[in-house]
Amino acid sequence: MTNWLPDLSSGSGPLYQRLADSIESDIDKGVIDAGAKLPPQRDLAYDIGTTVGTIGRAYQLLRERGLVSGEVGRGTYVLGQRAETPKPEVEPGLQGTRLIDAPSGKLRFDSTAAPDVGQGAVIADMLARTAQEHPHDISSYTRDFPERWYEAGSRWLARNAFRPSPDSIVPTLGTHAAVMAAIAALTMPGDYVVFEHLTYSQIARSAGLIGRRIALVLTDDNGIDPDDFERVCAQKHPKVMFLMPTAKNPTLVTLSAERRQAIARIAREYNVALIEDDLYGELTDDPTPLLAEYAPERTIVAGGLSKSVAAGVRGGWLSCPPTYRHRIRVAHKMMTGGLPFLLAEVGTRLVMSGQAGEIRKRCIAEIETRLAIVRDVLAGFDIKTRDNVPFIWLTLPDPWLSGTFKNACLAQGLLIDDEDEFKAGRSEQVFHGVRFGVSQPRQSKDVAGGVAVIRRLLDEGRAGYDSFS
C-alpha cells in the first residue's frame, strides 16, 4: 500500500466520511485487495494533510461497515468479501483469546434484547395463525383495539401487589414508544423532564428532539437522591420524571421502599408525573413495591417484551391514571403512525396463551448461565450484576477511562457501551464505568470469549491498547 493514496476530490460531507467512502470504493473496484494493510494512521494523515483523529474516524467507519479489521500492534487490514466473512468464533484460552470477525465485524455486547432460546418457532406459528384468522385486519390500519389487547397489558405489567386494570392500559409499539407517548402527552415544548445523570439516555435524546428540556437529578450508590429531586422540582418546576426504580440501566441500582416513598411524596407536592420503566424489573423477583403503589394517581408504568421474550415483536404497554389514558393513546398514534395489528395481536397471543411467561423463564435460565461465566472470569474486579438481568456494570480500575476502554474492546472486535452512552445530558459527573450485555451472542462460548477479552484488557492496563496503528 506504499503507493496508494485516496481520491478525495469528489463526494460531500466531512473529510473522514469522504475518506472512508473513497477507501470503500477502491476496495470494491479491486484497487485495494482483500488482506491488504491500510497505511498507518500517522502516515496517511501526513500524506493528505489532516489529523490522525480524522484518519481514525474514517477507519472506524470502515470497521462499522464490515470492510476492515484492526488488531492492536498489527494495523488495519481489508477483509474479504462481506458475504464470505465467517461467523463469530472464539479461540479458547484466556491469554490468547481473540474474536474472529463476524459479518458485522464485531461481537455484540452492546445489546440487552432477549436471548435466542427458540422463541422464533412459537412466534412463527402465531404469525401464521393471526394472518389466517385476521386477513382484513392485517391489510388495513388499526382503528379499534380489541379488549384482549388491554387484558394482555394488564397481565404483563402486573408485578408484586401491582395489578393494573385493563381500563388503565394503553397498548404501544414497544416500551420506548410508550414512554415517549407519555412525555409528549403530558408536557409542552420547553417543559423540563427530570432524568438521572446515568439512565436509558435514548429517552432523554428523544425528548430533546421534540423540544423538551432536560433536568438532571443527582444519585448515590442507593439511587436517586430525594433531596436533590426536591431541589430540582423547586428550581425548574418539571412536569415529568423518568426513572427505572428496579435494576436501573446501566448501574443495576434498585431503589429502596423508603426512597420510593420519598419520591412519591415530593412528586405529589410539586405536581410531577412519574414514568416508571419496569422493563428490567419484569425479569427480577424483587419484592419492593412498585412506585405506582405509592403514587397511583400520577405514576405511569411502562413495560414490554423486548428483554424477556422477543425484541422484534415490539410488544409494549403502559398503565396510567384514567385522566392520562386518552391523551397518551392519541399521542402514541401521532408519534408512531399507529399500532400495527399484526404485532399487537402476536404480542397479545404470547401473553394470553402463557407462552410469553414460558419464554421468559427460558430466557432467564440462559441469562443466568451467561452471568455465571462473567462472575467467574471477572472475579476480583468491581462488577455489578443482578440475577436474571442481562447486563453488567463494570467500574474500571485505574488507569482506564470509560471511552478508552470501549475503544480498546472495539479494536478487539467487541462492542460494549461506555458511560457517555447513558448520560441524559452534559454532566460533570464521572463514573469510570462501562456496561456490557450478554444476551445477544448466539452461544455461551461466544460470551466466554468476549469476557476473556475484557479480562485480558483489564489485566494488561493501558499497555494492552494503542489508539494508533
Side-chain angles (χ1 to χ4, degrees):
M1 298 300 298
T2 54
N3 298 322
W4 173 86
L5 280 177
D7 180 7
L8 302 177
S9 60
S10 61
S12 59
L15 180 59
Y16 78 90
Q17 184 175 323
R18 286 188 283 133
L19 174 57
D21 291 343
S22 175
I23 295 174
E24 180 174 8
S25 176
D26 284 350
I27 291 173
D28 290 341
K29 294 175 183 176
V31 176
I32 305 176
D33 295 328
K37 181 180 180 181
L38 294 183
Q41 294 181 28
R42 285 194 185 92
D43 294 355
L44 187 55
Y46 178 82
D47 289 338
I48 66 176
T50 187
T51 66
V52 174
T54 297
I55 307 300
R57 293 185 71 183
Y59 281 16
Q60 173 57 32
L61 191 56
L62 291 169
R63 292 189 186 98
E64 293 172 359
R65 295 175 182 177
L67 295 171
V68 302
S69 66
E71 295 185 17
V72 175
R74 295 192 60 236
T76 302
Y77 292 83
V78 177
L79 297 173
Q81 294 297 316
R82 296 179 214 192
E84 300 172 357
T85 307
K87 294 181 179 179
E89 297 176 5
V90 175
E91 295 181 356
L94 179 60
Q95 295 302 321
T97 301
R98 68 183 182 88
L99 304 180
I100 308 303
D101 293 302
S104 66
K106 306 291 180 292
L107 183 62
R108 302 212 63 162
F109 271 31
D110 63 338
S111 173
T112 56
D116 183 353
V117 293
Q119 60 267 67
V122 175
I123 294 169
D125 179 63
M126 289 187 174
L127 283 167
R129 286 192 282 120
T130 299
Q132 291 170 358
E133 296 169 14
H134 297 277
H136 177 71
D137 292 313
I138 291 174
S139 67
S140 184
Y141 294 108
T142 307
R143 304 192 185 278
D144 298 312
F145 292 2
E147 289 300 318
R148 61 184 177 275
W149 290 7
Y150 301 109
E151 178 63 30
S154 174
R155 292 189 186 186
W156 191 253
L157 295 181
R159 193 163 69 81
N160 298 340
F162 179 65
R163 294 290 184 272
S165 165
D167 293 340
S168 74
I169 299 298
V170 178
T172 64
L173 193 59
T175 308
H176 182 108
V179 173
M180 285 309 303
I183 290 175
L186 302 183
T187 63
M188 297 289 288
D191 285 344
Y192 277 105
V193 180
V194 181
F195 293 90
E196 297 166 75
H197 284 253
L198 285 186
T199 187
Y200 176 58
S201 64
Q202 296 293 325
I203 296 295
R205 296 174 192 175
S206 299
L209 283 174
I210 61 171
R212 277 53 172 178
R213 292 189 286 177
I214 308 305
L216 298 178
V217 62
L218 293 174
T219 59
D220 57 26
D221 291 341
N222 298 310
I224 294 172
D225 180 348
D227 291 337
D228 196 60
F229 176 44
E230 186 162 19
R231 176 194 63 80
V232 170
C233 290
Q235 292 181 356
K236 297 186 180 294
H237 311 290
K239 296 295 181 63
V240 171
M241 179 163 74
F242 169 83
L243 68 167
M244 306 176 78
T246 306
K248 188 191 80 169
N249 185 14
T251 61
L252 291 161
V253 170
T254 292
L255 283 175
S256 66
E258 291 74 19
R259 290 212 176 184
R260 296 182 196 215
Q261 289 174 320
I263 288 168
R265 175 187 58 79
I266 295 165
R268 188 174 291 116
E269 180 180 349
Y270 288 91
N271 195 27
V272 178
L274 303 171
I275 300 177
E276 180 173 13
D277 184 337
D278 199 43
L279 196 55
Y280 292 106
E282 297 167 355
L283 288 165
T284 73
D285 55 3
D286 185 80
T288 312
L290 269 67
L291 190 59
E293 296 182 51
Y294 297 111
E297 83 287 355
R298 64 185 58 255
T299 303
I300 297 162
V301 178
L305 305 178
S306 62
K307 310 304 181 185
S308 51
V309 179
V313 174
R314 305 304 298 151
W317 300 269
L318 58 77
S319 170
C320 59
T323 53
Y324 297 161
R325 186 187 182 198
H326 179 70
R327 279 187 286 166
I328 292 175
R329 178 172 170 176
V330 171
H332 178 267
K333 181 180 178 181
M334 295 299 177
M335 296 190 71
T336 65
L339 189 60
F341 181 92
L342 186 61
L343 293 182
E345 180 65 16
V346 168
T348 293
R349 292 187 178 207
L350 284 167
V351 173
M352 300 297 283
S353 67
Q355 290 282 4
E358 291 302 314
I359 292 171
R360 176 164 56 185
K361 290 178 183 177
R362 299 207 302 271
C363 286
I364 286 173
E366 181 62 26
I367 289 168
E368 279 301 296
T369 297
R370 298 177 179 204
L371 287 177
I373 294 170
V374 175
R375 289 164 178 151
D376 178 56
V377 175
L378 297 184
F381 288 95
D382 188 358
I383 60 170
K384 289 185 175 65
T385 64
R386 175 73 187 252
D387 289 350
N388 308 344
V389 180
F391 63 87
I392 294 88
W393 177 251
L394 167 63
T395 301
L396 297 166
D398 187 67
W400 281 111
L401 304 175
S402 180
T404 307
F405 191 80
K406 173 184 176 179
N407 289 336
C409 289
L410 182 63
Q412 297 296 313
L414 182 65
L415 289 171
I416 67 169
D417 289 311
D418 62 7
E419 65 184 51
D420 284 351
E421 179 64 30
F422 300 97
K423 288 184 175 178
R426 297 188 68 171
S427 169
E428 295 179 356
Q429 287 195 309
V430 179
F431 302 88
H432 299 305
V434 294
R435 192 210 75 169
F436 61 93
V438 294
S439 57
Q440 283 308 281
R442 293 293 180 88
Q443 301 178 24
S444 294
K445 70 174 185 178
D446 298 322
V447 174
V451 177
V453 167
I454 291 174
R455 173 61 189 262
R456 191 178 74 246
L457 289 170
L458 291 171
D459 286 339
E460 292 176 346
R462 283 182 182 162
Y465 172 61
D466 182 1
S467 59
F468 304 110
S469 58

